[in-house]
Amino acid sequence: MKTLKDSVIDYFQKVCSSIGNYETGISNIILLSNRYTYHCHYNVQERKIEFNKDRMDWITRVSWNEYSDSKSFSYKEAQSEWIYTRPISHKGEHKYFLVIKYPEKNNKKLLQILDLLAKQLSYHLVTQPNLTSLFLQSTYQQQITNTIDEGYLTVDKKGIITFINHTGKNILGIDDNMIIGQPLIKVLPNFYPSPLDTLNTMENWVNREVFFDLPKGKIHLIFSVTPLIENGLPVGIVITFKEMKIIMKKLESLVSIKPIFQFEDIIYKSRAMQELIKTAKVAAKTESNILIEGESGTGKELIAQSIHNQSQRKGKPFVVIDCSSIPRDLVESELFGYVDGAFTGARKGGRLGKFEVANGGTVFLDEIGEMPLEIQVKLLRVLQSRTITRVGGHDPIPSNVRIIAATNRNLEEEVENDNFRLDLYYRLNVLQLTVPSLRERDGDIPLLAKTLVEVAANRTNRYSPKISQDTMKILESYTWPGNIRELENVIERAILIAHDVIEPEHLPKYIHHAAFLREKSMPGKDLTLTLTEKNAGSFKGMERELIINTLHKVNGNKSLAARKLGISRSNLYEKIAKYNI
């Protein structure tokens, strides 16, 4: 390792090299110690350090004690020569001196240059002893930073990268040769505002988003910056960073959705919805568990979000768990988490479960009727004890969550068929809400259709067309087995092919046929080719009759029938088999 003296001489050469850019007439700049001992001199013309003491023997004959702090003074043995000197200080002591011999007294340019060089060398004496530890030259410090799961790099005051850990190199896709010793602005060119600004403000940055175009492609990072301070002076910065996609994956794996809907966002005027919203607002003020029943597509989650946002748990986590989509063998670990080494393939360090993440908030159990019986037992235990235990663990963890469950099944029938536990049903069904189907919401279809047209038009950057009276009549006569979700899809399809007005021909053909069959099934109509009394109003019965009639009209041509019905041929074959046609 270099001594302080060697370091000063090296830096002395660097700062003096700039002198050659000016017409000063200086031939040599001399470096002395605080005992006025000659060290070396810089040959300005040849731009190199020299150690020729014989040429500088006049130095020993100068009375430095009298003149060492002066800007300039005459050299006693040669009145035609003037000596300019400046001390290089460290901790209040003059460690070194810069000396120039010049034939003119009090040359202002020389005084300015000498003063600038002395200040640069003084600053070097302050910072150099600390750079080794500050910029992680220690083997132990490097090993520590290489174990963390985020990028870590250090930059000196001049913006030069001095260290980066393994994770940082992997994130940036850059090796040591391309980054160490390089300016930060070169390695990360569009880093704006510059993190070096923190050296002036002395303030930390926390979790700032930045996009970079790197050799590996465009990358979205989250940065935090901390300035390094020594003796009150900024000497560099430490930057830590992570990829946004990693952060988003972690968030998505923990919290499924941010609850954005309020009761005010729900569009309705029907009496059925008025009663539902009134009851739901009362439920929101309680801490009791809630069971929301209703067909698919009726907006059960929208009601759940609205309840959460009007409850005392507003602002706390709202965690969605789709019981029908989690693989059976992973349900328990997803819900309650697991400890390190709980099973083969478990992430090192374990993982929080969704109940643990939702602590203080609401857990929305969607499609609760799909939950396996063995998990129902564990959920019941959680509801009773208000604690959870991670898979592979033994310590109970307090769980302060409110449960809102939703299902499109009849849970009473599921209990009778031994598919759902009766005791869990009672635990969940403290407050029961039934979301009416769209066909039960008298007067709501025109309101919903007009709103969905505007939403779909904005989403697809299209003009918002009107809905003709004939079209609205068909929409109101259709039974909407897929409820609002189906209406939304039909509207979006219609605005893609319509211009100023959505006409009946812009609707799928199966809606025309279903509306026609429904009208024929009304009292006083010819029922020969339509539904039986038992199947009247039943979507399955209507769909079966619609398929039969369509096939009859096209003489059994399944491809043509599928096109007229607005479904794929494979879907038609599935329905033919399903309805035993």
Side-chain angles (χ1 to χ4, degrees), residues 491-506:
I491 292 295
E492 184 168 351
R493 175 187 183 275
I495 68 168
L496 291 175
I497 56 179
H499 294 290
D500 296 335
V501 180
I502 297 177
E503 299 289 356
E505 60 264 26
H506 299 136

Side-chain angles (χ1 to χ4, degrees), residues 279-323:
T279 308
K281 286 181 177 180
V282 173
K285 297 177 182 179
T286 73
E287 285 290 298
S288 301
N289 296 329
I290 299 172
L291 178 63
I292 304 176
E293 295 183 321
E295 297 178 6
S296 294
T298 52
K300 296 186 290 296
E301 185 174 338
L302 187 149
I303 298 295
Q305 288 190 28
S306 301
I307 291 172
H308 173 83
N309 281 331
Q310 196 158 315
S311 72
Q312 294 181 353
R313 296 176 182 265
K314 177 183 178 180
K316 298 294 184 179
F318 180 84
V319 177
V320 177
I321 301 174
D322 187 348
C323 301

Side-chain angles (χ1 to χ4, degrees), residues 354-403:
K354 299 200 176 196
F355 268 75
E356 201 169 342
V357 173
N359 196 42
T362 302
V363 172
F364 178 55
L365 295 172
D366 198 13
E367 304 299 344
I368 185 69
E370 307 285 340
M371 180 175 282
L373 280 169
E374 61 270 22
I375 304 300
Q376 292 179 28
V377 176
K378 301 192 179 207
L379 176 59
L380 179 64
R381 191 177 301 123
V382 169
L383 297 180
Q384 290 173 337
S385 66
R386 294 289 179 180
T387 62
I388 62 169
T389 303
R390 294 183 186 173
V391 175
H394 304 286
D395 299 324
I397 301 170
S399 177
N400 174 24
V401 298
R402 183 198 199 170
I403 302 294

Side-chain angles (χ1 to χ4, degrees), residues 415-454:
V415 169
E416 292 177 2
N417 296 329
D418 295 327
N419 293 325
F420 203 84
R421 292 183 62 92
L422 179 62
D423 44 8
L424 178 59
Y425 173 71
Y426 286 134
R427 279 284 177 181
L428 294 174
N429 195 24
V430 178
L431 292 170
Q432 184 179 23
L433 301 174
T434 302
V435 183
S437 63
L438 189 53
R439 61 184 169 274
E440 296 172 313
R441 295 172 57 173
D442 186 32
D444 283 355
I445 289 178
L447 287 175
L448 289 166
K450 290 174 183 177
T451 302
L452 291 173
V453 164
E454 294 176 4

Side-chain angles (χ1 to χ4, degrees), residues 175-192:
D175 58 35
D176 287 316
N177 297 331
M178 296 174 63
I179 193 166
I180 301 299
Q182 297 295 319
L184 178 65
I185 194 172
K186 180 180 178 181
V187 177
L188 301 173
N190 47 336
F191 207 150
Y192 180 82

